[in-house]
Amino acid sequence: MAEHRAVRMGIDVGGTYTKCVAMDNVTHEIIGKNEVKTTHDDKAGVAAGVVQSFKNCMAENGISPEDVVFVAHSTTQATNAFIEGDVAPVGVIGVAGGGLEGFLAKPQLTLKDIVLDEKVGRKIPVYNEFIKKKQLNDDTITAAIKNLLGKGAKVIVASMAFGVDDMTAEVKIHDLAEQQGLPVSMASDITKLHGLTRRTRTAAINASILPKMMATANATESSVRSAGVTVPLMIMRGDGGVMEISEMRKRPILTALSGPAASVMGSLMYLRASNAIYFEVGGTTTNIGVIKNGRPGVDYAKIGGHDTYINSLDVRILGCAGGSMVRINDHGVEDVGPRSAHIAGCEYACFTPEEEIDAGPLTIEMLSPKPGDPSDYVAIRLASGKRICFTNTDAANVLGLIEPQYFAHGNASAARKCMQPVADKLGITVEELATQILDKDFEKVNDCINALAEKYQLDHDAMKLVGCGGGAASLVPYCAKKMGLQYSIPENAEVISSIGVALSMVRDVVERVIPNPTQEDIKELKKEAIDAAISSGASPDTVEVHIEIDSQTGKVTAIATGSTEVKTTDLLKECDEAEAEQLAKEDFGQKVSNVHLVEKTDKFYVYAGEMGDRHPVRIVDKKGFIKVQCSDAQAVKVKVADYQESVKDLWEKLAVFKTDTVLRPDYFVCVGPRVCDYSAVDLEHVMLLMDLDIGDREPDEEIIVVGAINDVR
């Protein structure tokens, strides 16, 4: 065992298992893994399982506390709190000016109860107080807090009209509530976007889980400290970044949906997937999302059907996965899922000892896994009385789609024997039954992927599927073949979420509505994003900021990412030009001809090819990572002093004229060790953003500008 090795540890909390992975900080090799059943029913909640798996992994692999340089975990606590209604009543103190402002703002600040589940009446109780800005002082705030507590509030929200421009009033309310020992949330601390009702609602949802999340955070942190680990405990966010636990105590809502986010970041960083549709296939659900040009798709989260201002990875959750049960009618397969075998208390057929199946006659049973479910789910009762199910995993094993090295590989003979009675009942072969099962899943997966492809303007010829999770091999190969797409299921796919947590970067987002942003506006926003990332635990010298401008809405977004204090070392061997060309050819696929190098720097290769009247382009870095895919583009190498002329030239040359609009190109610029990307409908905005990244470089430095035609065919 190496002395004083640096170890990164990531713990992912799943619905069934909590898994911990220890990785070498330098090489990213896996040192060890441990899994325990997720501790939903423990007094300490899921935190107990987090600590248990963490300590087990350290003990089993000889990891000493001083070896640990990074530890983080994802959490289902926030999501579960909303699902289960384990929320605190919220008291909102709204503030606005007088006259017309107050007249318009008061109803926007007065929230109704926030319904989480209409069917069962689950909701966040909300109580309201309103104070005119001129009357805001310690006495009126104290009286408002007292009134809210009297109505039943347990947590406080401070929200003021135009609070994003001046947070003084919200801070005053926050400080007085905190002095009374009350959990409190400021609306403008959650988001700087206008939209008073939505901002206030987001803060109220955040506040409702503060007590539970703070208790969990305290329990987890104290347990990690008791293990002798002194580095900050990081928590996974729903947008794929991590933040220090101190930040989580203020904004726990950011951790919602962090489970799916963990698998995305594992795909992005460990598998080095820069352009892919990723699947995380568990036992009950499949999470599907997009990585495009090295960035995951991000959107605002909906919680309980309510729009929020919380950024989270745009993940589609399907109720079909490795363990999904089959529903049948008189003619064939009716549907697959959403209930899974473990919900019905059944084992998978392919993981059942064959001698148990052979012990006597098999009986078909139709059942409802949970009260209110349809009664057309099918199971098989063995002679012993034991009930088992055949699932997607069984169907894929029967069809020989799962290679022995995959986690989902099982006994195809056992699965075939259990499926035979149902196949006979339907008058089809076992193989036809297995095909019908997987076809039902394919319908859902295909619709989902097509919707994502349209939203993110993905080029079908460049799409790949990356399968993660224990059930990946049960769905991904079949769906990929039907769609004519390449796929991969990497080693350690079953713990990709834990790997994603271990390798995560600190991420923070600052958003503003600035209709005509100046360079000073952008610089100020950039600095605020950097400061936010540092507050969340990023090392100052590692923070990079990506700026996006939406010309139609005036929204400017600054996304800051950085690593924690111990910066990881990338030891991947550099590839030469021949190896890079081979990687580009593989990524282009067989439909692209005449692949050739068009430009290069000391950090990047740019390859182009021909496909009909299009000229696809790939940017490959010296580590063999495909950084950018363009379905039709043009690349030029220029000196920094001359780049603006090339940008203007491409702006006109690559424009696509439609009946009612003009589509302008997107830009990718290889500058130093980075690829910067820009898209805007206004050339002035493009130049503004480029100048922030390129303006301070040496005039004679050579950069590559790629203009990508913005026309999806």
Side-chain angles (χ1 to χ4, degrees), residues 361-429:
L362 306 178
T363 307
I364 298 173
E365 286 197 5
M366 307 305 295
L367 55 92
S368 302
K370 282 198 165 186
D373 285 345
S375 58
D376 56 1
Y377 285 90
V378 64
I380 300 293
R381 188 172 291 278
L382 307 183
S384 64
K386 181 179 178 179
R387 197 166 61 189
I388 62 176
C389 292
F390 54 87
T391 65
N392 286 321
T393 300
D394 295 289
N397 273 289
V398 161
L399 294 176
L401 300 177
I402 305 181
E403 300 294 332
Q405 72 267 27
Y406 294 137
F407 196 76
H409 184 264
N411 186 339
S413 174
R416 181 176 278 102
K417 287 176 179 178
C418 288
M419 293 170 67
Q420 190 68 58
V422 176
D424 292 343
K425 173 183 170 71
L426 298 173
I428 57 178
T429 66

Side-chain angles (χ1 to χ4, degrees), residues 6 12-13 25 29 44 163 172 196 262 309 356 449 493 515 521 566 616-617 645 647 687 699:
D12 177 60
V13 182
N25 185 57
E29 290 178 323
K172 195 174 184 67
L196 187 54
Y309 276 138
E356 291 185 26
I449 289 178
D521 291 329
V566 179
V617 164
E645 285 305 312
V647 170
M687 292 296 197

Side-chain angles (χ1 to χ4, degrees), residues 189-192 234-235 237 239-244 247-248 250-251 254 298 309-311 505-511 525-538 543-547 557-563:
D189 201 26
I190 305 295
T191 177
K192 295 296 191 293
M234 311 296 286
I235 311 295
R237 295 164 43 135
D239 62 6
V242 289
M243 59 183 177
E244 283 192 7
E247 275 296 302
M248 195 271 267
K250 284 198 311 185
R251 299 183 289 170
L254 298 183
V298 175
Y309 276 138
I310 298 304
N311 283 290
M505 306 274 280
V506 175
R507 187 180 196 275
D508 234 297
V509 180
V510 177
E511 298 174 306
L525 201 67
K526 198 171 181 179
K527 181 180 181 304
E528 187 176 344
I530 291 170
D531 291 345
I534 293 169
S535 296
S536 292
V543 179
E544 292 186 356
V545 181
H546 171 68
I547 303 288
T557 305
I559 305 166
T561 55
S563 58

Side-chain angles (χ1 to χ4, degrees), residues 116-164:
L116 298 173
D117 190 332
E118 200 166 353
K119 289 182 181 177
V120 296
R122 194 171 291 132
K123 63 184 180 181
I124 302 170
V126 181
Y127 307 102
N128 299 275
E129 289 285 323
F130 180 79
I131 304 173
K132 290 183 179 178
K133 191 175 179 181
K134 285 184 178 179
Q135 298 170 351
L136 190 76
N137 56 50
D138 288 4
D139 291 339
T140 55
I141 294 170
T142 302
I145 292 173
K146 184 178 179 182
N147 288 343
L148 290 170
L149 295 178
K151 294 174 183 176
K154 301 293 183 187
V155 294
I156 301 297
V157 166
S159 185
M160 189 184 85
F162 304 106
V164 295

Side-chain angles (χ1 to χ4, degrees), residues 93 136-138 141-142 145 156-158 167-186 189 250:
I93 299 178
L136 190 76
N137 56 50
D138 288 4
I141 294 170
T142 302
I145 292 173
I156 301 297
V157 166
M167 289 181 62
T168 308
E170 291 186 12
V171 170
K172 195 174 184 67
I173 296 167
H174 173 277
D175 292 348
L176 280 172
E178 202 171 55
Q179 287 171 23
Q180 296 186 39
L182 293 169
V184 59
S185 180
M186 295 186 293
D189 201 26
K250 284 198 311 185

Side-chain angles (χ1 to χ4, degrees), residues 621-667:
D621 72 8
K622 289 295 179 79
K623 303 294 185 181
F625 191 36
I626 307 286
K627 299 295 290 186
V628 172
Q629 295 175 322
C630 303
S631 57
D632 196 1
Q634 185 175 330
V636 291
K637 183 190 278 187
V638 294
K639 290 183 178 180
V640 166
D642 306 320
Y643 86 89
Q644 292 190 353
E645 285 305 312
S646 295
V647 170
K648 291 175 184 175
D649 182 53
L650 292 173
W651 182 263
E652 298 300 334
K653 188 183 294 184
L654 302 182
V656 177
F657 294 88
K658 299 285 188 180
T659 305
D660 54 351
T661 187
V662 180
L663 300 176
R664 296 295 181 176
D666 293 334
Y667 292 94

